[in-house]
Amino acid sequence: MSGLAALLLGSLVLLFWYVLRPRPAAIHLALSRSWNAYGKIVATPFLAGQPGAVFLGVGDQNGFFSVFEGKSGRVSLRYHALGEIVSSPLYADLGDGPAWILAKRGGQTHVLRPDGVWLWKSRPEDGLAGLVGRPARILIEGVPHLVLADLRGQIACLEGRHGIPRWLRRDAASAGSMLFASPLAWDGKVFFASTRGDFFAVDAATGRDLWRTDVSNEVRASPVLVRLGLGRWAIGVVDLEGGWVLCRIDDGGVIARAKLEGGSIASPIAVEQGPAASDRVYVATRQGALLRLDPTTAAVRARYQAAPGDGFRSSPIAFDADGDGAPEILAFTGAGRLLLLDAKKLEPRLPPYPLGGEITASPVAADVDQDGQNEIVAALESGEILLLSLTTTPKADRGSARSPVTGFRGDGRNTGRFPAPKE
């Protein structure tokens, strides 16, 4: 074959590959429905699956907790907690079936049946005040418990069925610090990060300190659970000045410590890459950068920059937007733009989508209206809640609503890992 013929053949092969190569589906967003809460929303809603339906629960700063039925849009529950609700609700089984769990800023926790009848409320003598982070659910000796942390540095572990304290403690080692971040429960331990820069673990059964590491700067973002290859787990945290610290779970030994390009109030997430591979970590900064990190070196593997002057106030999520079995990264900017990005290179899958108002809550996504496709829920600070339908070209198969993200941090233990590891 002559050189010219070989060149022509190679060009034809390249042309056929370019035309026939698999392309990601085009993704389209449209407003499907909206609701209104009774007050300003700063907390991420929760999507509760009940027989034959999905319900959206959201709390507001006027103290109302509202539950909307996803398919019909009707209001199924309004509950007045008589105090600001600024932490995300949780829907979980606490021993007598599923229940809504609400933590008030004033310090009291309310646990409600799905019909709105309250099962128990925490007692004033428990001493909690200023609940901003979401409680973490953990099994202790097979019994569900809730672990809460407040703005005075106090921590409580309450038995799930009746709210009876198993232990109460104040973090004396970081006196004067506040616990804004939601606790993370994993492997019989609970992990916390404080505004004094303390990153520490306690025994879930006793409340006893297990280890403590200095992060150096104020932390408001929740920790994240990270898998480092087969069977190895670590806990990471990012601070307000951009410090990233990754620690061993058992003893708190520092695996990595690095300075990122911007600080964060948005909690980082980890995304699974396979049974033997290390997770990818994503950090959204106040300066508007969304970073994909190597967790052990903090090397930036991909980067997306939001519009000038726009930063991130809420944690991103990972979910399968187009039904191809691979996750995308979904994030809201503080100014109210929805970003849907390829998980590997952080390249946009669609142009930034304006939501119509500022937003502090993280996104949630699932088949809310039971049509076989995922929808995205955006709760604006104004109190308006948007349900956005996702369609693809070519159309995804019915039933492609994979990898739902039903609430803040992905699961009731607040791991921040996608998909959530099995309990």
Side-chain angles (χ1 to χ4, degrees), residues 202-374:
V202 306
D203 183 277
T206 65
R208 177 179 59 87
D209 263 11
L210 296 176
W211 54 259
R212 185 172 296 264
T213 296
D214 181 20
V215 181
S216 299
N217 294 299
E218 180 176 347
V219 179
R220 298 203 177 199
S222 301
V224 61
L225 178 69
V226 183
R227 188 172 66 186
L228 305 177
L230 190 62
R232 297 174 56 219
W233 294 94
I235 296 288
V237 71
V238 63
D239 65 37
L240 277 180
E241 301 302 321
W244 165 253
V245 178
L246 185 71
C247 295
R248 293 192 297 266
I249 278 186
D250 291 336
D251 61 7
V254 175
I255 299 170
R257 187 186 293 269
K259 184 74 164 63
L260 306 179
E261 62 181 83
S264 184
I265 57 174
S267 304
I269 65 170
V271 180
E272 181 182 286
Q273 296 306 300
S278 293
D279 292 344
R280 291 171 175 163
V281 169
Y282 298 82
V283 174
T285 74
R286 294 183 295 166
Q287 292 75 21
L290 181 57
L291 310 173
R292 177 170 75 84
L293 306 179
D294 180 312
T296 58
T297 66
V300 176
R301 303 303 187 192
R303 184 183 189 279
Y304 176 88
Q305 180 63 49
D310 197 1
F312 294 97
R313 304 177 194 169
S314 61
S315 176
I317 66 170
F319 85 113
D320 183 5
D322 56 10
D324 66 353
E328 281 74 38
I329 302 300
L330 173 63
F332 296 155
T333 69
R337 295 180 180 89
L338 182 153
L339 306 175
L340 188 65
L341 309 171
D342 166 78
K344 184 176 181 181
K345 297 182 179 180
L346 293 182
E347 295 174 344
R349 293 296 310 275
L350 76 171
Y353 183 93
L355 297 170
E358 295 187 357
I359 191 163
T360 303
S362 293
V364 289
D367 184 9
V368 179
D369 60 9
Q370 305 284 275
D371 66 349
Q373 307 288 333
N374 274 322

Side-chain angles (χ1 to χ4, degrees), residues 46-218:
F46 195 94
L47 296 171
Q50 297 176 16
V54 174
F55 290 84
L56 170 71
V58 62
D60 64 47
Q61 288 192 302
N62 284 341
F64 285 93
F65 176 67
S66 305
V67 179
F68 305 94
E69 202 271 327
K71 189 171 185 179
S72 68
R74 68 180 179 87
V75 179
S76 65
L77 172 65
R78 294 271 197 196
Y79 176 82
H80 194 199
L82 299 175
E84 287 184 84
I85 301 173
V86 296
S87 72
S88 300
L90 176 62
Y91 187 76
D93 188 345
L94 295 181
D96 285 329
W100 288 106
I101 300 144
L102 314 174
K104 292 167 46 180
R105 187 181 181 98
Q108 197 173 42
T109 301
H110 294 210
V111 176
L112 316 175
R113 292 191 331 207
D115 61 5
V117 175
W118 63 270
L119 296 174
W120 57 264
K121 301 177 184 178
S122 59
R123 308 170 306 171
E125 56 265 34
D126 293 344
L128 292 172
L131 294 174
V132 176
R134 193 179 75 168
R137 178 187 179 274
I138 189 169
L139 293 176
I140 301 175
E141 299 169 352
V143 177
H145 287 71
L146 295 174
V147 179
L148 305 97
D150 75 7
L151 294 183
R152 295 193 299 186
Q154 298 178 118
I155 306 168
C157 180
L158 309 180
E159 183 267 336
R161 290 184 63 190
H162 304 102
I164 299 170
R166 183 183 180 99
W167 50 262
L168 302 166
R169 55 164 284 184
R170 185 160 191 165
D171 184 34
S174 55
S177 70
M178 296 185 286
L179 296 170
F180 271 94
S182 299
L184 188 159
W186 176 253
D187 193 30
K189 306 172 185 66
V190 189
F191 304 88
F192 303 87
S194 81
T195 57
R196 285 274 297 269
D198 292 300
F199 186 25
F200 60 100
V202 306
D203 183 277
T206 65
R208 177 179 59 87
D209 263 11
L210 296 176
W211 54 259
R212 185 172 296 264
T213 296
D214 181 20
V215 181
S216 299
N217 294 299
E218 180 176 347

